[in-house]
Amino acid sequence: MTKEKLKELVSQLTLQEKLDMIHGNGIFATKGVERLGIPPFITSDGPRGVRKDFKNDSWTEIGFSYDSVSYLPCNSALAATWNRELAYATGKLLGKEARGRGKDMILAPGINIMRTPLCGRSFEYMGEDPYLISELVVPMVHGIEENDVSACIKHFAVNNQETRRLDVDVEVSERALREIYLPGFEAAVKKGKVNGIMGAYNKLQGTHCCHNAYLLNEILRMEWGFEGITISDRGGVHDTKEALINGLDMEMSATDNFSEYYMAAPILRLIENGEIDKKTAYAKIDEKVRHILHVMNNLHMLDGERCCGSYNDYGDKAVLRQAARESIVLLKNEKNILPLDKKKVKKLLVVGENANRQHAPGGGSAEIKALYEITPLMGLHMVLGGNTEIVYQPGYFNKDIGNIWAADKDNQSGQADSLATASAEAQKNTEEQKRYQQEMNEKYLQEALESAKDADAVIYVGGLTHDYDTEGQDRINMKLPYGQDRLISELLKVRPDMVVVLTAGSPIDMSAWIHAADTLVFSWYAGMEGGIALAEMLFGDVNPSGHLPETFPISEKNCPAVILGEFPGGDRVHYGEDIYVGYRYYDTFDIETAFPFGYGLSYTDFVMTGIRAEVLEDTTDNKCVKVDFDISNIGRRAGAALAQVYVADKYPRVQKPAKELKAFEKIYLEPGETREITMILEGDAFTYYDETSHGFKADAGSYMLLLAKNADEVVDITEIEFNCTSYRIS
Ligand code: BGC
């Protein structure tokens, strides 16, 4: 449909019909206009698959069997793959299933920066680096939207904590906002051409993000040229006039008083009371409806040409398995205990509640009613078959602590209560709970120690659960819950060869036992195929290739948000660490970490050398510098290496991080194979945000290009003289 036709359609709508299109008329949907062939607009969560269905006007689950779906690895797991093709493939699967389930917009992916390891929703996001996020979100959006379904990147912007998420006011410099917190969104809009974006709950510089003119009108529409729908996080609107004027297109909330939503009847009252002139109000309403129709048109919702999608297709298993495999990060393998040998392990002891736990149903709005979920314990049975005896001991007692989402009362989602301000208090157990936990832990510990004596191998699978990695609350600290530190320490005393596997969506403080553990694996909430992918990796069918998308600090006390800024703050939170987020801080200020950004081991070894760079003369397409180097697999197994290229300004005229990631490539190599790799750096690899001119700028001068295995391990360096001053993606 042409723009003209869409305009004509708008002119045929009554005021009430228009209003019904710009606010929820159901928990997940707006109203359509049947007489003009405009369907309702149906949204659904979320980032790990298409959420189960609820009744239209309440948080009561429909409860039928049809809405079990594929459960995808969480976004932090996907980010750990550092694989653009997998981001595309999983996006494609998500979009296909969303469409197959009859949705128009999938409320995903989440791309907020991991400012602190304690953020409850880190598992829904893609780590700490704006470049990595940008590189993954674009193919993911493309994959989703190929299915005539809108993606909805969220939460725009600076939603970096759950504590007081509904009203905390974020104070951040313009430079940090532009360099750290916005690039993922900018890439999704400019390169991904995403159709939807969700406003965040919190405030930015005093105004709620869902009706923040600076974010929605100035940056998103005027600067970036966004043409799609801005949708509120549910219950994120607090003012009718601001929502009307400041760039919000669609209001969603968590309650059933739909006609009283801010962008419903209150708009009419505003006009009647003369608080806004009719002409302005009508023009704004029309603009919102135009954006919605524009997206409906893009998705073929108006012309009968729409693809129908499908879900739970047999072939999708392979994509999910591969994503899970590539997400697993091998953190330590000091004695080469891994991979374990199937033939030698006749009796295997598996300890830890996460070995036997399904994570899909937890986490908040990212919960999934999974078609199935292969746990690590099941995966180990599947991989080892009938010749190995597997003994399982829970090791620690995990009882659900009271987080707001855990309470699945009478079939109702915890989301019904999600507009109450969450607090971390729920993580503090009562004395009685603590006593019971201790008793059970003691019992389980003794049982595990006993079983450890005669096993050929011991695998520990612990970590966090969605009682901790969850929407609505942050963690209090990075410690392992349920007494796991003591359990791991005791087990390592009797079995120093124990393989420690941690399943979680965010970093963990391992200082209590890490010195004693030779073998350490980090696996995430890796989707329905996660357990088998882990078992394949532990027994050598798969060579690990995941790398951390975020720094693992030794403890949260070292984190820049705590040292230089504020976390969690009060009514207001000041981002005093500015641009020094994640490795930009640890690296520049030389702070020791547990594991650096980009870290991950393999069962083989790679050598990367001979970095050389050339400034390109022809700057069309913004291509700026060509970097070449050689990489060899010098081990005996095939595997994938991750080459990372960082840029460092040699004589910076303004404060800059020691180095910043500007290119990466995952390279698969057979044993003994050597390849020459070329990477192209675009102009913005050399820019920084200048608050005086309110724009990105690149200073002429000497820049070092660092070829690295991770943020702490630079293997080769070259230097260029760079004179271009105006590179920037337009
Ligand atoms: C979350 C969003 C989610 C929405 C809809 C909110 O609680 O913050 O991420 O998409 O609910 O369920």
Side-chain angles (χ1 to χ4, degrees):
M1 209 177 273
T2 61
K3 277 207 164 133
E4 291 314 305
K5 283 237 157 95
L6 286 177
K7 252 190 179 166
E8 206 182 299
L9 195 53
V10 179
S11 70
Q12 291 168 29
L13 289 162
T14 66
L15 180 59
Q16 190 54 49
E17 285 169 339
K18 289 179 199 170
L19 287 181
D20 284 343
M21 288 175 68
I22 64 171
H23 68 86
N25 265 290
I27 298 288
F28 279 97
T30 62
K31 225 186 227 174
V33 184
E34 217 181 329
R35 70 179 182 94
L36 294 174
I38 301 173
F41 194 72
I42 304 171
T43 68
S44 175
D45 285 305
R48 294 195 296 178
V50 191
R51 198 176 178 188
K52 65 192 168 194
D53 281 340
F54 294 93
K55 290 194 172 155
N56 187 49
D57 59 357
S58 80
W59 287 101
T60 308
E61 282 179 49
I62 295 278
F64 293 142
S65 58
Y66 70 87
D67 54 357
S68 300
V69 286
S70 292
Y71 158 40
L72 279 69
C74 65
N75 274 340
S76 54
L78 279 171
T81 70
W82 292 62
N83 186 328
R84 298 172 181 90
E85 281 90 46
L86 277 174
Y88 168 75
T90 49
K92 192 168 166 182
L93 197 162
L94 182 58
K96 185 182 67 168
E97 298 220 338
R99 192 60 218 115
R101 288 267 311 278
K103 312 299 179 192
D104 304 315
M105 174 183 272
I106 184 86
L107 304 172
I111 55 168
N112 292 104
I113 289 280
M114 198 195 79
R115 173 179 179 246
T116 138
L118 301 182
C119 174
R121 291 185 91 170
S122 291
F123 74 99
E124 288 191 59
Y125 304 144
M126 296 179 177
E128 71 186 23
D129 182 67
Y131 177 75
L132 175 60
I133 294 172
S134 305
E135 288 298 296
L136 297 178
V137 72
V138 172
M140 189 178 277
V141 164
H142 286 154
I144 292 172
E145 297 203 337
E146 265 178 27
N147 300 278
D148 292 345
V149 164
S150 168
C152 179
I153 46 170
K154 64 188 190 185
H155 308 88
F156 189 58
V158 283
N159 179 189
N160 310 107
Q161 64 184 58
E162 292 300 284
T163 312
R164 305 202 55 171
R165 65 172 175 161
L166 302 176
D167 56 8
V168 68
D169 187 7
V170 174
E171 198 182 273
V172 58
S173 74
E174 196 186 355
R175 179 170 178 202
L177 186 68
R178 300 296 191 141
E179 285 185 25
I180 307 292
Y181 296 98
L182 295 189
F185 291 98
E186 183 175 2
V189 170
K190 288 185 176 173
K191 293 183 173 175
K193 304 280 176 232
V194 69
N195 275 296
I197 185 164
M198 183 187 288
Y201 276 133
N202 50 281
K203 295 178 189 161
L204 169 66
Q205 333 286 40
T207 309
H208 274 104
C209 294
C210 288
H211 30 91
N212 188 309
Y214 174 57
L215 278 177
L216 302 181
N217 284 340
E218 273 182 53
I219 297 181
L220 185 63
R221 297 269 179 212
M222 280 152 68
E223 276 184 39
W224 299 350
F226 179 67
E227 295 188 331
I229 299 173
T230 55
I231 184 170
S232 77
D233 201 340
R234 67 180 58 255
V237 179
H238 301 267
D239 187 286
T240 297
K241 193 167 177 183
E242 285 188 7
L244 186 62
I245 307 282
N246 293 352
L248 183 72
D249 295 326
M250 196 181 274
E251 179 195 1
M252 301 305 268
S253 192
T255 49
D256 62 1
N257 56 336
F258 306 118
S259 58
E260 281 304 316
Y261 280 14
Y262 290 89
M263 294 231 295
I267 294 187
L268 300 175
R269 294 203 284 271
L270 213 63
I271 301 171
E272 273 163 31
N273 298 343
E275 286 174 64
I276 186 164
D277 78 90
K278 210 177 191 174
K279 207 168 150 211
T280 313
Y282 283 10
K284 284 291 170 191
I285 295 168
D286 279 5
E287 187 180 76
K288 296 174 199 308
V289 172
R290 265 203 313 277
H291 294 149
I292 294 167
L293 287 175
H294 170 77
V295 169
M296 285 186 165
N297 191 40
N298 287 349
L299 306 179
H300 297 285
M301 289 173 72
L302 304 173
D303 61 10
E305 296 294 318
R306 199 166 189 203
C307 82
C308 68
S310 63
Y311 63 107
N312 297 332
D313 294 338
Y314 181 70
D316 293 337
K317 252 186 177 186
V319 171
L320 294 169
R321 174 96 56 105
Q322 191 58 18
R325 283 171 176 163
E326 292 201 27
S327 73
I328 301 167
V329 185
L330 178 61
L331 290 174
K332 276 179 112 179
N333 197 17
E334 283 170 11
K335 302 227 164 104
N336 290 325
I337 287 169
L338 290 180
L340 296 166
D341 187 339
K342 280 181 207 171
K343 292 209 181 85
K344 290 192 185 142
V345 181
K346 294 286 169 219
K347 186 170 182 185
L348 172 68
L349 171 64
V350 180
V351 186
E353 209 262 350
N354 265 348
N356 196 34
R357 173 173 273 250
Q358 298 192 336
H359 297 281
S365 59
E367 65 178 356
I368 287 301
K369 189 169 156 188
L371 184 62
Y372 62 85
E373 177 176 351
I374 300 176
T375 62
L377 188 59
M378 186 194 279
L380 286 163
H381 275 274
M382 288 163 77
V383 163
L384 291 173
N387 291 344
T388 301
E389 182 194 351
I390 301 180
V391 177
Y392 172 66
Q393 294 285 357
Y396 56 89
F397 177 65
N398 168 2
K399 70 176 178 45
D400 287 329
I401 55 161
N403 84 52
I404 53 168
W405 294 88
D408 196 9
K409 327 140 196 144
D410 301 334
N411 213 16
Q412 295 265 342
S413 161
Q415 194 149 7
D417 301 330
S418 65
L419 298 185
T421 298
S423 85
E425 286 304 303
Q427 288 172 37
K428 293 182 186 152
N429 296 335
T430 64
E431 286 309 310
E432 196 188 335
Q433 285 168 331
K434 272 189 208 155
R435 236 188 343 266
Y436 186 59
Q437 172 104 37
Q438 271 162 12
E439 272 170 31
M440 294 301 285
N441 275 348
E442 196 53 43
K443 176 175 173 285
Y444 286 164
L445 169 69
Q446 294 312 329
E447 285 168 1
L449 288 172
E450 190 52 40
S451 303
K453 285 182 193 155
D454 66 343
D456 296 322
V458 182
I459 300 175
Y460 179 86
V461 189
L464 301 178
T465 64
H466 286 306
D467 286 339
Y468 290 84
D469 279 318
T470 185
E471 179 172 346
Q473 65 193 36
D474 297 316
R475 282 187 293 159
I476 297 169
N477 55 46
M478 279 170 58
K479 290 274 182 207
L480 279 170
Y482 318 122
Q484 291 180 78
D485 277 343
R486 174 160 175 253
L487 171 67
I488 298 173
S489 305
E490 292 301 317
L491 281 166
L492 282 170
K493 279 183 201 157
V494 295
R495 292 301 300 246
D497 61 338
M498 180 171 81
V499 176
V500 180
V501 178
L502 296 180
T503 298
S506 45
I508 285 169
D509 177 346
M510 309 171 196
S511 49
W513 44 264
I514 193 155
H515 51 280
D518 294 323
T519 319
L520 178 60
V521 175
F522 199 85
S523 71
W524 316 79
Y525 306 112
M528 61 208 289
E529 294 282 321
I532 188 159
L534 177 66
E536 289 172 335
M537 174 265 167
L538 294 172
F539 281 88
D541 297 339
V542 164
N543 192 349
S545 64
H547 288 252
L548 298 178
E550 59 218 18
T551 310
F552 275 29
I554 294 172
S555 122
E556 72 283 352
K557 295 190 186 83
N558 296 357
C559 155
V562 172
I563 305 269
L564 301 176
E566 291 171 351
F567 174 79
D571 295 347
R572 201 198 55 144
V573 57
H574 177 61
Y575 286 17
E577 72 281 15
D578 205 62
I579 52 169
Y580 296 105
V581 174
Y583 70 87
R584 285 167 169 77
Y585 168 73
Y586 300 107
D587 203 12
T588 310
F589 297 92
D590 208 9
I591 309 290
E592 198 191 339
T593 63
F595 295 100
F597 173 75
Y599 189 81
L601 302 171
S602 162
Y603 293 152
T604 187
D605 285 317
F606 302 100
V607 173
M608 300 192 278
T609 50
I611 186 169
R612 45 218 182 261
E614 182 191 335
V615 178
L616 301 171
E617 295 298 320
D618 176 9
T619 58
T620 44
D621 291 340
N622 212 29
K623 297 200 177 356
C624 185
V625 173
K626 179 167 160 291
V627 179
D628 296 296
F629 60 93
D630 302 311
I631 182 165
S632 310
N633 178 352
I634 56 162
R636 272 188 251 138
R637 278 171 181 267
L642 177 67
Q644 303 164 37
V645 173
Y646 294 79
V647 171
D649 188 347
K650 209 166 170 194
Y651 308 107
R653 289 176 216 172
V654 296
Q655 279 204 0
K656 282 186 182 176
K659 62 178 184 290
E660 295 181 277
L661 181 77
K662 295 298 173 183
F664 65 84
E665 206 62 62
K666 205 163 184 183
I667 305 144
Y668 182 87
L669 294 164
E670 292 296 332
E673 187 182 352
T674 296
R675 272 168 61 190
E676 186 183 333
I677 303 293
T678 299
M679 294 186 191
I680 300 289
L681 302 193
E682 295 192 335
D684 52 0
F686 301 89
T687 58
Y688 63 95
Y689 191 80
D690 175 33
E691 291 190 344
T692 317
S693 61
H694 299 289
F696 277 90
K697 115 181 207 194
D699 291 329
S702 313
Y703 289 85
M704 290 185 299
L705 303 173
L706 302 96
L707 181 62
K709 288 190 167 177
N710 58 66
D712 270 4
E713 198 180 346
V714 172
V715 294
D716 206 357
I717 302 181
T718 188
E719 208 175 301
I720 52 162
E721 284 304 314
F722 180 68
N723 283 313
C724 310
T725 48
S726 59
Y727 286 102
R728 178 73 190 156
I729 300 164
S730 54

